[in-house]
């Protein structure tokens, strides 16, 4: 197994399930080596989702920047592949394997945005080693938010 690190984000709709998600990550043989609660911003979304259509990006920005998320780094043997298998490979939670994070905790139904559907799928994960390397730089760009900031964002 190749030791790898990868970035993850538990999106706002996943935060109520954070402890269970942490348990699932640990049981998959991965270690969360660093994490913090943050408010995502445009820079992060532009980096994570460079090819989103403008209307979907606008909806994503409006949603993900208004409530706390958790950003973190996991480490372990074949971490990127293990995280993919644990989270689910599809954007739509219903198309993910039962038992995956997105299948278990994703919000249904999706939200219609223009002629597309936006899925509240709980979790972002790095998909490749190159993507993981680029995305992990985002971790240091986002300040932790305080308890008072968390309460204000609700």
């Amino acid at each position: 197994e190749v030791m790898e690190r990868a970035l993850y984000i538990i999106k706002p709709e996943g935060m109520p399930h954070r402890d269970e998600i942490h348990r699932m990550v640990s049981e998959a043989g991965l270690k969360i080596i660093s994490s913090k609660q943050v408010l995502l911003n445009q820079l992060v979304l532009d980096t994570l989702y460079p090819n989103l259509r403008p209307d979907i990006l606008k909806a994503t920005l409006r949603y993900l920047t208004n409530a706390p998320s958790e950003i973190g780094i996991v480490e372990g043997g074949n971490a990127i592949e293990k995280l993919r298998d644990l989270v689910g490979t599809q954007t739509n939670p219903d198309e993910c394997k039962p038992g995956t994070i997105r299948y278990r905790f994703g919000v249904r139904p999706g939200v219609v945005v223009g002629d597309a559907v936006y899925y509240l799928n709980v979790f972002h994960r790095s998909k490749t080693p190159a993507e993981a390397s680029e995305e992990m730089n985002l971790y240091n760009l986002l300040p932790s938010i305080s308890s008072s900031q968390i309460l204000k964002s609700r």
Side-chain angles (χ1 to χ4, degrees), residues 36-149:
K36 58 187 174 183
Q37 287 193 49
V38 298
L39 289 174
L40 299 176
N41 60 35
Q42 175 98 38
L43 170 68
V44 172
L45 298 184
D46 287 344
T47 302
L48 297 178
Y49 309 115
N51 301 315
L52 279 185
R53 289 181 4 196
D55 57 337
I56 300 289
L57 182 61
K58 185 176 178 181
T60 304
L61 189 63
R62 186 169 49 241
Y63 177 67
L64 291 181
T65 59
N66 284 309
S69 294
E70 178 180 289
I71 188 170
I73 297 173
V74 297
E75 181 178 72
N78 297 332
I80 294 166
E81 182 181 343
K82 285 181 182 174
L83 207 53
R84 181 189 65 230
D85 293 344
L86 178 65
V87 172
T89 59
Q90 303 301 311
T91 303
N92 180 346
D94 285 329
E95 294 175 3
C96 292
K97 289 181 182 174
T100 60
I101 289 171
R102 287 181 175 167
Y103 185 87
R104 287 186 63 188
F105 305 118
V107 177
R108 294 160 177 90
V111 179
V112 176
V113 178
D115 62 351
V117 179
Y118 177 75
Y119 295 103
L120 301 177
N121 62 15
V122 180
F123 202 97
H124 172 85
R125 56 170 172 75
S126 300
K127 295 171 191 66
T128 66
E131 193 175 276
S133 179
E134 180 181 353
E135 289 180 354
M136 282 189 290
N137 292 326
L138 296 172
Y139 185 86
N140 294 322
L141 296 176
L142 289 169
S144 295
I145 54 177
S146 67
S147 298
S148 60
Q149 288 171 299

